[in-house]
Amino acid sequence: MFYSLFKLYFSQEMETRMEVVNTTTESGVNSLPATDGGNEESQASEEKAPVRFGWVTGVMVRCMLNIWGVILFLRLSWITSQAGILLTWLIILMSVTVTSVTALSISAIATNGRVISGGAYFMISRSLGPEIGGPIGMVVRDLMQEFGVIMVDSINDVRIVGVITVTILLLISLAGMEWESKTQILFFIVLMVSFSNYFVGTFIPSNPEKQAQGIFGYRTEIFVSNLKPDWRGPEGNFFQMFAIFFPSAIGILSGANISGDLKDPATAIPKGTLMAIFWTTFSYLAISVTVGSCVIRDASGNVSDILTGNITDGCVGLGCNLGWNFTECIRSQSCEYGLANNLKVLGQVSGFYYLITAGVFAASLSSALGFLVSAPKVFQCLCRDNLYPYIGFFAKGYGKNDEPLRAYLLCYIIAVAFILIAELNTIAALISNFFLCSYSLINFSCFHASITNSPGWRPSFHYYSKWTALFGAVISVVLMFLFTWWAALVTFCIIFFLFGYVNYNKPKVNWGSSVQAGTYNMALSYSVSLSGVEDHVKNFRPQCLVLTGPPNQRPALVDFVGSFTKHISLMICGDIIMEQDRHTRSQDSTDSLVKWMNKRRVRSFYTPFTADSLRAGTRHLLQASGLGKLKPNTLVLGFKTNWRDSSPETDDLSDKGDSDQIKTVFQNDQGKKTIDVYWIADDGGLTLLVPYLLTRRKHWRRSKVRVFIVGDEQNMEEGRNDLSRFVDSVAPFRLHDEQQDDQQRISSPNLKSTLMFCCVHVNLMFFFPRSLPVPQSDCPSALYMAWLDTLTCGLHCPAVLIRGNQQNVLTFYCQ
């Protein structure tokens, strides 16, 4: 048996792996089986094949381009002047720690099964942000102002240039992934040239003009002076510097977000993402230490401030040791140059200034183009999952790469709208918080999938830890509130609203999530622990096995029991299937019945059971159903209206199913009606407990419970009339002389006492529990059914007959 199961599992796994291997060529392009169509059909299929990218161009380059941004060129030198080289390295490494832990979690998730398009689509709201065009407009505006070119004014120049630039990027995106990829490679080459230009410039001897700007080349005294921090201004503290730098480290999802366009996402995402983090971290560390070794913090830019001779009396600052006197601007805090004052230091240090400007453009444009491409692809995947309404229009794809052209236009409109606002400072914090929130959710997903010990969680990437993933999740949330607490609150409100909507709407999707595995673990653990808990009257719950047959054919019985067991106790809808009918039931019919109950919001299990007879099936089902302490202690049956004509061993059901979700009386608001309880004898309290549980429901909360007990014999005459009706109803079933004994038995005082209170207060009663007569072993079934029919005669409202087993279920009996 074990060998057969192992062989089946192993063969399925190998077939899956072989399918992946056989359908992917060495170049990574999916190949089709050979046909007899000839070379023309082969060429046609190759032309229609979508473009797929490897781990270098598809992931590593994209991630590097998104991590390298304007902060690298315009802010890193200023951060180095404030925090010093040592603390700047600490800031860089702290940021990289968060992104690296997240990258490990992404790698684990990406290698656990098949990866399709969409990436981290659950964070689509942070992708459709203003980063697409905002930084570009400001960079171009600053460059125009440097040359003295102003079209309108500073704000409108941002709007004009930003809209033009985003429009050009949209055209590139609409041209297809091939053009977009070639453009990104071009940007990457420009950045490489820009970096090379900078590092070469650090070795070029400085002329007097550069020295007047604080640039002296590699000097030991400059390096030592810039090791320690020199906090200045309101933003002069470690945490503010960390908050300013951290957004430069985000961008590690750029490769994962186009997972549908990768040849082998399971390999490309881990390798490309981690390599991008490594090389960008190296570049940030190298630039911070080199610029901190070549440039002093303060300089005037005035060539006449050079010292003549060795006179340094009254000279302030490191420039005094290097032959320059910047004392005047240092004391008046009016220095315009130097590491602490000039944001364009990298361009001034480099060999050719405008190559750094080109690098700034390449970094900004590549980031914008990456967002403009990845965000619509993620949004397209979200639309196809039908989790939210009114967005299915954007799910349509075009061309061989299934391009989301409609989503491109939507993303373009959103970007232009934010550019026209031209005030990005307010929402910049919100965008950074969306990134951090996505990192937190990714890390928590990895942690949760690991801690649930699901057999389905077996990523091929093993270099991760569930505890580092948890650390990444927690630290991301902490950073959200430390950076901007109000933006964090807004972010969480949006996320909770989206998740709350999905949870309430309960879309018909099944992705085998770790939440399902966690639910199973919790249910199993609590069920086992419950087995060791002793029963107590305070914790008694009516756990009902309801003989409904197919539940959709007895909706009233299902609704009634569900009204006092929902969210309180166990309910099992039992369906006894006769042996001759078992071939007519299928798994599909079982699933449809479960869906019917879920749609009706009935919290119940459905348990079909095959048996030779209804009596035997009920007995076996009552004994076998349930798990541990979660097993039925109450049996509920419906009353057959045609009991005189049906066989005791059959279960007559209507052929017409209740698939239209017919509303029953138990789903209506009962208003200020009464629940009348006729308590003939103390059965342990079950007769009183069930009406009380009903009054805790919304539809019954205004109803009152009235309890009637046995009194005098004033209504004896009415009881005799009911007894006559009972005798007439059982007349067809009498068996000559032996029935006379039965007549004597049913005329006992107990029955008369019961019948005395039959049909009292019918007009005021909505619910009618009674003490259920106990059938004797020698009592014919027809006689017992006539007995029950007599007890409920003339009622125009639901009636329930209840009998406990003398086990106390009310806290009245508890000491």
Side-chain angles (χ1 to χ4, degrees):
M1 178 67 177
F2 175 79
Y3 173 76
S4 300
L5 291 175
F6 176 78
K7 182 178 180 181
L8 175 62
Y9 173 79
F10 184 77
S11 61
Q12 290 176 346
E13 288 286 295
M14 289 304 297
E15 288 176 1
T16 303
R17 295 175 184 271
M18 290 300 293
E19 180 181 356
V20 174
V21 173
N22 292 334
T23 57
T24 306
T25 63
E26 293 180 357
S27 62
V29 180
N30 291 343
S31 61
L32 300 174
T35 60
D36 297 330
N39 294 332
E40 293 181 359
E41 293 185 1
S42 299
Q43 293 176 356
S45 64
E46 290 179 359
E47 292 176 358
K48 295 180 181 180
V51 178
R52 294 291 183 260
F53 304 104
W55 69 273
V56 176
T57 57
V59 181
M60 188 185 76
V61 171
R62 290 180 179 275
C63 289
M64 293 175 70
L65 289 173
N66 279 274
I67 295 174
W68 285 330
V70 293
I71 293 179
L72 171 65
F73 291 97
L74 302 181
R75 283 292 185 136
L76 183 58
S77 59
W78 178 74
I79 294 174
T80 304
S81 72
Q82 290 268 353
I85 296 175
L86 294 179
L87 290 184
T88 300
W89 275 37
L90 180 60
I91 290 172
I92 295 172
L93 294 177
M94 287 175 60
S95 303
V96 170
T97 299
V98 177
T99 56
S100 298
V101 169
T102 306
L104 295 178
S105 299
I106 294 174
S107 301
I109 296 174
T111 58
N112 185 57
R114 184 185 176 191
V115 179
I116 59 175
S117 62
Y121 79 87
F122 53 84
M123 293 309 300
I124 182 59
S125 52
R126 66 103 172 116
S127 294
L128 294 176
E131 297 114 326
I132 297 172
I136 306 166
M138 288 187 288
V139 170
V140 176
R141 187 268 313 272
D142 293 342
L143 183 63
M144 293 170 59
Q145 290 180 349
E146 185 174 341
F147 283 98
V149 179
I150 298 178
M151 291 183 291
V152 183
D153 53 55
S154 60
I155 295 179
N156 286 311
D157 287 355
V158 172
R159 294 169 175 163
I160 296 172
V161 176
V163 170
I164 295 174
T165 306
V166 173
T167 303
I168 296 174
L169 296 180
L170 174 66
L171 297 177
I172 296 175
S173 302
L174 295 177
M177 287 299 295
E178 292 181 84
W179 281 92
E180 188 271 343
S181 178
K182 293 177 181 178
T183 305
Q184 293 284 34
I185 295 297
L186 176 61
F187 289 148
F188 184 77
I189 294 174
V190 172
L191 279 171
M192 292 297 101
V193 173
S194 178
F195 288 149
S196 302
N197 171 59
Y198 164 74
F199 285 110
V200 169
T202 59
F203 292 97
I204 298 177
S206 300
N207 53 33
E209 287 76 13
K210 283 191 174 183
Q211 291 182 357
Q213 297 173 355
I215 303 171
F216 294 90
Y218 290 104
R219 299 291 182 92
T220 304
E221 56 267 42
I222 296 179
F223 172 75
V224 173
S225 175
N226 288 331
L227 280 177
K228 298 180 180 180
D230 181 16
W231 307 115
R232 301 182 183 183
E235 296 180 343
N237 60 77
F238 177 83
F239 186 76
Q240 286 294 331
M241 294 301 105
F242 179 74
I244 292 172
F245 175 80
F246 183 80
S248 66
I250 59 181
I252 59 174
L253 295 178
S254 302
N257 282 342
I258 63 163
S259 54
D261 297 302
L262 301 176
K263 296 177 183 178
D264 184 8
T267 301
I269 292 176
K271 185 185 296 186
T273 305
L274 293 175
M275 289 298 292
I277 292 176
F278 173 79
W279 287 115
T280 53
T281 302
F282 176 81
S283 64
Y284 275 114
L285 294 175
I287 292 177
S288 64
V289 71
T290 53
V291 75
S293 302
C294 298
V295 186
I296 63 175
R297 284 189 169 97
D298 298 295
S300 64
N302 190 353
V303 181
S304 62
D305 288 339
I306 190 171
L307 287 174
T308 57
N310 295 324
I311 302 175
T312 59
D313 294 339
C315 186
V316 177
L318 182 60
C320 301
N321 300 332
L322 302 174
W324 290 83
N325 186 2
F326 302 126
T327 304
E328 182 178 353
C329 75
I330 293 176
R331 288 178 174 175
S332 61
Q333 297 182 356
S334 61
C335 295
E336 298 180 1
Y337 294 91
L339 210 59
N341 307 294
N342 189 4
L343 299 180
K344 303 173 184 178
V345 169
L346 295 188
Q348 294 170 347
V349 173
S350 63
F352 185 66
Y353 177 85
Y354 294 107
L355 283 180
I356 297 297
T357 303
V360 175
F361 272 98
S364 301
L365 292 172
S366 62
S367 299
L369 183 59
F371 282 114
L372 192 60
V373 170
S374 61
K377 288 184 176 292
V378 176
F379 188 58
Q380 180 189 39
C381 182
L382 175 65
C383 296
R384 288 177 174 175
D385 284 338
N386 294 319
L387 297 181
Y388 302 100
Y390 313 119
I391 60 175
F393 174 80
F394 300 99
K396 184 175 178 58
Y398 298 86
K400 58 185 179 181
N401 272 71
D402 196 28
E403 300 290 348
L405 301 185
R406 297 176 179 177
Y408 282 152
L409 294 175
L410 175 64
C411 191
Y412 169 78
I413 293 172
I414 295 175
V416 170
F418 282 113
I419 292 173
L420 293 178
I421 294 174
E423 292 293 338
L424 303 178
N425 292 334
T426 303
I427 59 176
L430 187 62
I431 300 304
S432 297
N433 272 269
F434 275 125
F435 275 100
L436 281 170
C437 189
S438 68
Y439 293 170
S440 177
L441 291 176
I442 290 173
N443 283 297
F444 183 78
S445 299
C446 182
F447 166 75
H448 194 269
S450 302
I451 204 170
T452 54
N453 294 321
S454 173
W457 174 252
R458 47 182 188 273
S460 59
F461 183 86
H462 302 290
Y463 305 101
Y464 76 98
S465 170
K466 58 185 178 183
W467 302 117
T468 57
L470 179 62
F471 168 77
V474 173
I475 197 64
S476 296
V477 174
V478 171
L479 290 176
M480 289 177 63
F481 284 95
L482 290 179
F483 285 170
T484 314
W485 65 268
W486 64 264
L489 291 178
V490 173
T491 303
F492 275 107
C493 288
I494 295 174
I495 298 301
F496 287 150
F497 172 77
L498 295 176
F499 282 141
Y501 176 84
V502 173
N503 186 58
Y504 175 80
N505 197 44
K506 297 187 184 301
K508 297 180 180 179
V509 293
N510 184 10
W511 296 326
S513 65
S514 61
V515 175
Q516 295 173 338
T519 302
Y520 177 87
N521 289 350
M522 292 177 59
L524 183 61
S525 176
Y526 287 139
S527 298
V528 173
S529 61
L530 188 62
S531 300
V533 178
E534 296 183 2
D535 294 331
H536 194 278
V537 64
K538 290 183 179 180
N539 296 323
F540 175 83
R541 300 166 185 264
Q543 300 180 156
C544 300
L545 172 62
V546 191
L547 296 185
T548 60
N552 62 346
Q553 298 190 9
R554 284 197 176 99
L557 184 60
V558 172
D559 291 341
F560 163 67
V561 180
S563 62
F564 66 84
T565 61
K566 187 176 183 180
H567 301 296
I568 293 178
S569 58
L570 176 69
M571 176 182 175
I572 300 177
C573 291
D575 185 6
I576 309 300
I577 304 173
M578 300 304 174
E579 189 68 32
Q580 62 271 18
D581 299 330
R582 63 188 179 95
H583 298 292
T584 62
R585 300 289 185 93
S586 63
Q587 183 64 34
D588 293 337
S589 62
T590 299
D591 295 340
S592 64
L593 292 174
V594 173
K595 292 179 180 178
W596 180 88
M597 291 191 297
N598 292 336
K599 187 176 180 180
R600 205 175 183 85
R601 301 187 184 278
V602 176
R603 296 177 67 91
S604 173
F605 297 99
Y606 171 68
T607 305
F609 191 86
T610 304
D612 296 332
S613 65
L614 183 63
R615 184 182 300 272
T618 302
R619 183 171 62 251
H620 294 157
L621 185 59
L622 188 60
Q623 295 176 3
S625 60
L627 181 67
K629 290 294 182 69
L630 295 175
K631 59 187 306 181
N633 55 25
T634 305
L635 180 65
V636 183
L637 302 89
F639 192 90
K640 290 186 177 182
T641 56
N642 61 338
W643 63 271
R644 294 181 178 85
D645 303 325
S646 61
S647 170
E649 296 300 328
T650 61
D651 188 15
D652 298 333
L653 295 173
S654 172
D655 293 334
K656 182 179 179 180
D658 193 13
S659 59
D660 295 333
Q661 296 286 343
I662 298 176
K663 192 173 184 178
T664 64
V665 67
F666 299 103
Q667 295 177 318
N668 298 327
D669 189 357
Q670 304 304 323
K672 295 183 179 180
K673 297 182 179 179
T674 59
I675 301 175
D676 287 355
V677 180
Y678 289 80
W679 202 12
I680 306 303
D682 186 3
D683 59 358
L686 185 63
T687 308
L688 294 176
L689 179 62
V690 172
Y692 165 73
L693 294 177
L694 274 177
T695 59
R696 298 176 60 180
R697 296 300 177 194
K698 180 177 65 174
H699 293 161
W700 301 79
R701 66 175 179 269
R702 293 189 293 172
S703 300
K704 295 183 179 180
V705 178
R706 300 191 303 180
V707 181
F708 296 86
I709 60 175
V710 177
D712 53 27
E713 298 184 358
Q714 295 178 358
N715 297 324
M716 183 66 72
E717 186 64 28
E718 184 179 355
R720 289 195 181 97
N721 295 334
D722 291 332
L723 180 60
S724 300
R725 180 183 182 280
F726 168 72
V727 174
D728 294 339
S729 66
V730 300
F733 302 98
R734 295 183 62 181
L735 298 176
H736 304 290
D737 294 336
E738 65 178 352
Q739 188 64 29
Q740 183 65 27
D741 297 334
D742 294 330
Q743 177 65 31
Q744 295 293 332
R745 181 168 64 250
I746 66 175
S747 300
S748 62
N750 288 336
L751 179 63
K752 291 181 180 179
S753 299
T754 302
L755 294 179
M756 280 193 303
F757 296 93
C758 180
C759 300
V760 179
H761 298 287
V762 172
N763 293 331
L764 302 177
M765 181 181 59
F766 187 80
F767 183 78
F768 194 85
R770 291 175 176 269
S771 295
L772 180 66
V774 178
Q776 304 296 328
S777 59
D778 56 348
C779 179
S781 59
L783 180 63
Y784 185 74
M785 292 299 295
W787 200 346
L788 300 184
D789 195 12
T790 302
L791 287 175
T792 57
C793 66
L795 299 181
H796 302 287
C797 55
V800 179
L801 296 101
I802 301 176
R803 174 171 289 278
N805 62 352
Q806 309 305 318
Q807 178 183 358
N808 295 331
V809 300
L810 296 178
T811 54
F812 173 80
Y813 303 100
C814 179
Q815 298 298 328

